[in-house]
């Protein structure tokens, strides 16, 4: 699924309350508008698994449960809900890449990458997980929409339950802005 939504705000990429036996998985993004070209970029991403939060910022700093630049070496053995955060740096032609990997389950890995001031992320293995009968993502909703995309042409499901086509992203995006009055988890 691909669509465009540009805004400057906190957004819920996905929230999965039943993930990992009810511990939950929540991925939130903070974005800002880049001038003068008027597009937005991710300035930080926060991943909450159970009670643990890992946050990566575009300036290269990261936090694990509020601890800045926590030790991610094997000796440090910092965990996010029992999962090790694997870290590596790769040298690229223009900027080094800082890559953080968190195994969400035996099939699925969350990969967070920082290149210069850009943050990207991928959730790898979801289709393989589902094809093997896995249901870890069955109740997930957010900017990722639902993970099964049941209705032809209506791929995006808002917090209100409203269904949108990918051409209605300008209306869909604001439904997933972070809002503590709606008991958003981070």
């Amino acid at each position: 699924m691909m669509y465009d939504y540009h805004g400057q705000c906190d957004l819920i990429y996905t929230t999965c309350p039943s993930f990992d036996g009810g511990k939950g998985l929540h991925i939130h993004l903070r974005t800002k508008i880049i001038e003068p070209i008027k597009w937005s970029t991710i300035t930080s991403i926060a991943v909450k698994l159970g009670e643990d939060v890992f946050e990566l910022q575009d300036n290269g700093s990261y936090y694990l449960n509020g601890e800045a630049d926590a030790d991610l070496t094997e000796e440090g053995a910092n965990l996010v809900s029992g999962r090790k955060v694997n870290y590596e740096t790769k040298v690229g032609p223009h900027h080094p890449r800082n890559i953080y990997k968190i195994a969400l389950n035996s099939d699925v890995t969350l990969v967070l990458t920082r290149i210069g001031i850009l943050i990207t992320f991928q959730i790898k293995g979801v289709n393989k997980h589902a094809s093997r009968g896995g249901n870890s993502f069955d109740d997930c909703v957010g900017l990722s929409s639902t993970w099964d995309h049941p209705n032809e042409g209506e791929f995006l499901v808002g917090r209100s339950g409203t269904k949108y086509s990918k051409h209605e992203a300008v209306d869909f995006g604001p439904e997933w802005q972070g809002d503590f009055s709606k008991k958003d988890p981070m």
Side-chain angles (χ1 to χ4, degrees):
M1 172 184 60
M2 291 187 65
Y3 64 92
D4 286 332
Y5 174 72
H6 295 281
Q8 180 166 301
C9 53
D10 292 340
L11 296 163
I12 300 170
Y13 176 74
T14 197
T15 184
C16 311
S18 298
F19 184 82
D20 197 16
K23 289 182 181 177
L25 167 66
H26 310 279
I27 301 174
H28 288 208
L29 312 171
R30 177 163 286 160
T31 61
K32 71 176 179 181
I33 299 290
I34 303 296
E35 296 290 347
I37 50 181
K38 301 205 182 298
W39 56 275
S40 60
T41 186
I42 299 170
T43 58
S44 66
I45 183 168
V47 179
K48 183 175 184 185
L49 281 160
E51 296 301 315
D52 297 319
V53 178
F54 179 80
E55 181 180 352
L56 175 62
Q57 297 185 351
D58 64 355
N59 66 5
S61 61
Y62 60 88
Y63 297 84
L64 181 57
N65 295 325
E67 180 185 341
D69 301 323
D71 183 6
L72 298 179
T73 64
E74 195 64 41
E75 297 79 39
N78 283 294
L79 304 175
V80 176
S81 193
R83 296 160 175 89
K84 177 134 179 47
V85 178
N86 292 308
Y87 169 76
E88 64 181 293
T89 298
K90 290 187 176 179
V91 178
H94 303 288
H95 298 284
R97 296 173 186 247
N98 306 108
I99 303 168
Y100 304 83
K101 296 179 182 177
I102 304 170
L104 299 178
N105 62 32
S106 61
D107 296 325
V108 182
T109 300
L110 174 62
V111 180
L112 311 171
T113 305
R114 180 184 159 268
I115 309 166
I117 61 166
L118 297 176
I119 294 175
T120 65
F121 69 99
Q122 293 180 296
I123 303 174
K124 294 185 173 186
V126 172
N127 291 335
K128 181 179 178 182
H129 174 74
S131 71
R132 292 181 173 177
N135 61 1
S136 295
F137 301 94
D138 283 357
D139 70 339
C140 298
V141 294
L143 284 175
S144 62
S145 190
T146 61
W147 290 63
D148 58 359
H149 308 295
N151 297 316
E152 186 66 35
E154 293 179 327
F155 294 104
L156 309 173
V157 179
R159 185 191 304 250
S160 65
T162 302
K163 295 178 182 174
Y164 298 93
S165 72
K166 63 183 178 180
H167 304 291
E168 298 173 300
V170 70
D171 298 318
F172 167 72
E175 285 212 40
W176 292 106
Q177 288 184 357
D179 185 344
F180 287 114
S181 72
K182 294 180 180 171
K183 299 185 183 191
D184 290 339
M186 286 192 282

